[in-house]
mmCIF file of all heavy atoms in Angstrom:
data_model
loop_
_atom_site.group_PDB
_atom_site.id
_atom_site.type_symbol
_atom_site.label_atom_id
_atom_site.label_comp_id
_atom_site.label_asym_id
_atom_site.label_seq_id
_atom_site.Cartn_x
_atom_site.Cartn_y
_atom_site.Cartn_z
ATOM 1 N N THR T 382 12.420 38.680 1.752
ATOM 2 C CA THR T 382 11.014 38.629 2.158
ATOM 3 C C THR T 382 10.550 39.973 2.729
ATOM 4 O O THR T 382 9.437 40.070 3.242
ATOM 5 C CB THR T 382 10.786 37.532 3.207
ATOM 6 O OG1 THR T 382 11.541 37.825 4.389
ATOM 7 C CG2 THR T 382 11.202 36.170 2.671
ATOM 8 N N VAL T 383 11.400 40.996 2.631
ATOM 9 C CA VAL T 383 11.067 42.306 3.198
ATOM 10 C C VAL T 383 10.172 43.080 2.230
ATOM 11 O O VAL T 383 10.501 43.252 1.056
ATOM 12 C CB VAL T 383 12.346 43.122 3.476
ATOM 13 C CG1 VAL T 383 11.992 44.538 3.934
ATOM 14 C CG2 VAL T 383 13.199 42.425 4.535
ATOM 15 N N ALA T 384 9.041 43.552 2.732
ATOM 16 C CA ALA T 384 8.172 44.433 1.953
ATOM 17 C C ALA T 384 8.508 45.884 2.293
ATOM 18 O O ALA T 384 8.708 46.223 3.458
ATOM 19 C CB ALA T 384 6.709 44.153 2.265
ATOM 20 N N SER T 385 8.589 46.719 1.264
ATOM 21 C CA SER T 385 8.877 48.140 1.487
ATOM 22 C C SER T 385 7.899 48.977 0.682
ATOM 23 O O SER T 385 7.265 48.495 -0.263
ATOM 24 C CB SER T 385 10.318 48.473 1.094
ATOM 25 O OG SER T 385 10.524 48.253 -0.287
ATOM 26 N N ASN T 386 7.798 50.251 1.061
ATOM 27 C CA ASN T 386 6.831 51.122 0.402
ATOM 28 C C ASN T 386 7.371 52.539 0.309
ATOM 29 O O ASN T 386 8.010 53.034 1.236
ATOM 30 C CB ASN T 386 5.515 51.143 1.186
ATOM 31 C CG ASN T 386 4.385 51.782 0.410
ATOM 32 O OD1 ASN T 386 3.916 51.205 -0.570
ATOM 33 N ND2 ASN T 386 3.957 52.967 0.815
ATOM 34 N N VAL T 387 7.124 53.173 -0.834
ATOM 35 C CA VAL T 387 7.410 54.595 -1.010
ATOM 36 C C VAL T 387 6.068 55.312 -0.914
ATOM 37 O O VAL T 387 5.146 55.048 -1.685
ATOM 38 C CB VAL T 387 8.072 54.875 -2.369
ATOM 39 C CG1 VAL T 387 8.427 56.355 -2.493
ATOM 40 C CG2 VAL T 387 9.321 54.013 -2.546
ATOM 41 N N PHE T 388 5.947 56.231 0.054
ATOM 42 C CA PHE T 388 4.660 56.863 0.346
ATOM 43 C C PHE T 388 4.437 58.114 -0.504
ATOM 44 O O PHE T 388 4.193 59.202 0.005
ATOM 45 C CB PHE T 388 4.564 57.182 1.831
ATOM 46 C CG PHE T 388 4.377 55.971 2.691
ATOM 47 C CD1 PHE T 388 5.471 55.232 3.118
ATOM 48 C CD2 PHE T 388 3.118 55.550 3.057
ATOM 49 C CE1 PHE T 388 5.308 54.100 3.909
ATOM 50 C CE2 PHE T 388 2.934 54.420 3.845
ATOM 51 C CZ PHE T 388 4.034 53.692 4.271
ATOM 52 N N THR T 389 4.536 57.931 -1.801
ATOM 53 C CA THR T 389 4.179 58.972 -2.745
ATOM 54 C C THR T 389 2.720 58.753 -3.162
ATOM 55 O O THR T 389 2.033 57.906 -2.600
ATOM 56 C CB THR T 389 5.099 58.903 -3.971
ATOM 57 O OG1 THR T 389 5.167 57.530 -4.412
ATOM 58 C CG2 THR T 389 6.509 59.390 -3.643
ATOM 59 N N ASP T 390 2.232 59.513 -4.122
ATOM 60 C CA ASP T 390 0.888 59.288 -4.652
ATOM 61 C C ASP T 390 0.980 59.201 -6.163
ATOM 62 O O ASP T 390 1.187 60.213 -6.818
ATOM 63 C CB ASP T 390 -0.051 60.419 -4.238
ATOM 64 C CG ASP T 390 -1.475 60.168 -4.712
ATOM 65 O OD1 ASP T 390 -1.835 58.978 -4.879
ATOM 66 O OD2 ASP T 390 -2.202 61.134 -4.940
ATOM 67 N N PRO T 391 0.855 57.992 -6.754
ATOM 68 C CA PRO T 391 0.545 56.723 -6.101
ATOM 69 C C PRO T 391 1.718 56.167 -5.308
ATOM 70 O O PRO T 391 2.867 56.526 -5.544
ATOM 71 C CB PRO T 391 0.206 55.811 -7.282
ATOM 72 C CG PRO T 391 1.014 56.365 -8.415
ATOM 73 C CD PRO T 391 1.009 57.847 -8.223
ATOM 74 N N GLU T 392 1.401 55.280 -4.357
ATOM 75 C CA GLU T 392 2.439 54.608 -3.596
ATOM 76 C C GLU T 392 3.113 53.536 -4.445
ATOM 77 O O GLU T 392 2.529 53.040 -5.421
ATOM 78 C CB GLU T 392 1.846 53.954 -2.343
ATOM 79 C CG GLU T 392 1.316 54.935 -1.328
ATOM 80 C CD GLU T 392 0.753 54.278 -0.082
ATOM 81 O OE1 GLU T 392 0.728 53.014 -0.028
ATOM 82 O OE2 GLU T 392 0.325 55.005 0.823
ATOM 83 N N ILE T 393 4.342 53.185 -4.057
ATOM 84 C CA ILE T 393 5.087 52.120 -4.731
ATOM 85 C C ILE T 393 5.514 51.112 -3.678
ATOM 86 O O ILE T 393 6.317 51.420 -2.801
ATOM 87 C CB ILE T 393 6.326 52.679 -5.464
ATOM 88 C CG1 ILE T 393 5.918 53.693 -6.527
ATOM 89 C CG2 ILE T 393 7.148 51.544 -6.068
ATOM 90 C CD1 ILE T 393 7.091 54.426 -7.146
ATOM 91 N N ALA T 394 4.946 49.911 -3.756
ATOM 92 C CA ALA T 394 5.277 48.863 -2.792
ATOM 93 C C ALA T 394 5.984 47.719 -3.501
ATOM 94 O O ALA T 394 5.620 47.346 -4.621
ATOM 95 C CB ALA T 394 4.011 48.355 -2.106
ATOM 96 N N THR T 395 6.998 47.162 -2.854
ATOM 97 C CA THR T 395 7.776 46.083 -3.455
ATOM 98 C C THR T 395 8.078 45.005 -2.426
ATOM 99 O O THR T 395 8.133 45.265 -1.224
ATOM 100 C CB THR T 395 9.111 46.597 -4.031
ATOM 101 O OG1 THR T 395 9.851 47.237 -2.968
ATOM 102 C CG2 THR T 395 8.894 47.594 -5.145
ATOM 103 N N VAL T 396 8.299 43.794 -2.919
ATOM 104 C CA VAL T 396 8.751 42.697 -2.059
ATOM 105 C C VAL T 396 9.496 41.697 -2.936
ATOM 106 O O VAL T 396 9.181 41.516 -4.108
ATOM 107 C CB VAL T 396 7.558 42.014 -1.349
ATOM 108 C CG1 VAL T 396 6.642 41.322 -2.328
ATOM 109 C CG2 VAL T 396 8.044 41.041 -0.273
ATOM 110 N N GLY T 397 10.505 41.065 -2.342
ATOM 111 C CA GLY T 397 11.206 39.981 -3.021
ATOM 112 C C GLY T 397 12.151 40.446 -4.115
ATOM 113 O O GLY T 397 12.648 41.574 -4.114
ATOM 114 N N TYR T 398 12.383 39.563 -5.082
ATOM 115 C CA TYR T 398 13.302 39.855 -6.177
ATOM 116 C C TYR T 398 12.696 40.903 -7.105
ATOM 117 O O TYR T 398 11.473 41.007 -7.255
ATOM 118 C CB TYR T 398 13.635 38.579 -6.951
ATOM 119 C CG TYR T 398 14.551 37.648 -6.196
ATOM 120 C CD1 TYR T 398 14.036 36.629 -5.398
ATOM 121 C CD2 TYR T 398 15.930 37.803 -6.257
ATOM 122 C CE1 TYR T 398 14.872 35.779 -4.687
ATOM 123 C CE2 TYR T 398 16.781 36.963 -5.556
ATOM 124 C CZ TYR T 398 16.249 35.957 -4.767
ATOM 125 O OH TYR T 398 17.083 35.131 -4.063
#
Side-chain angles (χ1 to χ4, degrees):
T382 63
V383 174
S385 63
N386 192 70
V387 183
F388 288 85
T389 48
D390 183 27
E392 294 181 357
I393 300 172
T395 57
V396 65
Y398 287 93

